Amino acid sequence: MNHRNTVQITSAILLAMTAASAFATDPAVSAQGPVPFESFDADGNGYVTQEEFNTLRSERIRSRAEENRQFRNMGDAPAFSDLDADGDGKLNREEIQAHQRERQGERSEYREQKRMNNSGMGMGRGGMGGRK
């Protein structure tokens, strides 16, 4: 491993450790559900950098792992660029909230579809595949 990689890894570890202490003391942040903009905006400057975004995401993952929670849909997690609607390299409150509303709508649609599929007349006891 070269010096540059060592420095980058060390920096990432230190950043994660710093964020971990902030994360642990912030009652507004949980391991699930929408994250308030203020929790993303660690330095309070009114926008979220990719570093702040990645740090908070890493902390939520760490928190879920410590609670032995499942990592469902990790592969579908949005990238920073997916939220950066105007492409300026930083996220504002509106971009984050718009993305959260969109994801919540997708979840609601999924739950509704699942509910509809489970409430139909299946092949249970009274159906063609049921017992006689």
Side-chain angles (χ1 to χ4, degrees):
M1 183 179 302
N2 66 32
H3 178 70
R4 181 177 174 175
N5 287 344
T6 303
V7 170
Q8 288 175 336
I9 291 170
T10 303
S11 297
I13 290 170
L14 290 172
L15 182 62
M17 289 171 60
T18 303
S21 62
F23 183 78
T25 60
D26 187 352
V29 179
S30 71
Q32 62 185 16
V35 177
F37 178 80
E38 292 75 19
S39 296
F40 275 110
D41 185 15
D43 61 8
N45 64 359
Y47 62 87
V48 178
T49 63
Q50 186 164 359
E51 185 176 330
E52 288 171 315
F53 179 83
N54 292 338
T55 298
L56 184 63
R57 175 175 282 170
S58 295
E59 286 309 309
R60 284 178 54 124
I61 291 168
R62 183 193 57 76
S63 177
R64 289 181 70 87
E66 286 177 356
E67 295 172 6
N68 293 321
R69 296 175 57 95
Q70 293 181 356
F71 289 93
R72 295 180 300 186
N73 303 319
M74 256 320 247
D76 294 335
F80 179 86
S81 59
D82 294 333
L83 280 75
D84 188 11
D86 60 11
D88 66 353
K90 54 189 175 184
L91 305 176
N92 60 40
R93 182 181 304 273
E94 291 76 29
E95 288 171 316
I96 288 176
Q97 290 175 342
H99 177 75
Q100 288 173 338
R101 283 191 303 271
E102 180 182 326
R103 293 285 282 202
Q104 186 61 40
E106 290 169 2
R107 285 187 203 100
S108 295
E109 285 178 27
Y110 172 77
R111 283 192 296 273
E112 181 63 19
Q113 279 183 330
K114 191 173 180 180
R115 187 186 68 74
M116 294 297 288
N117 290 339
N118 289 334
S119 67
M121 297 199 43
M123 300 290 281
R125 286 186 169 188
M128 295 172 60
R131 291 185 248 181
K132 294 184 180 183

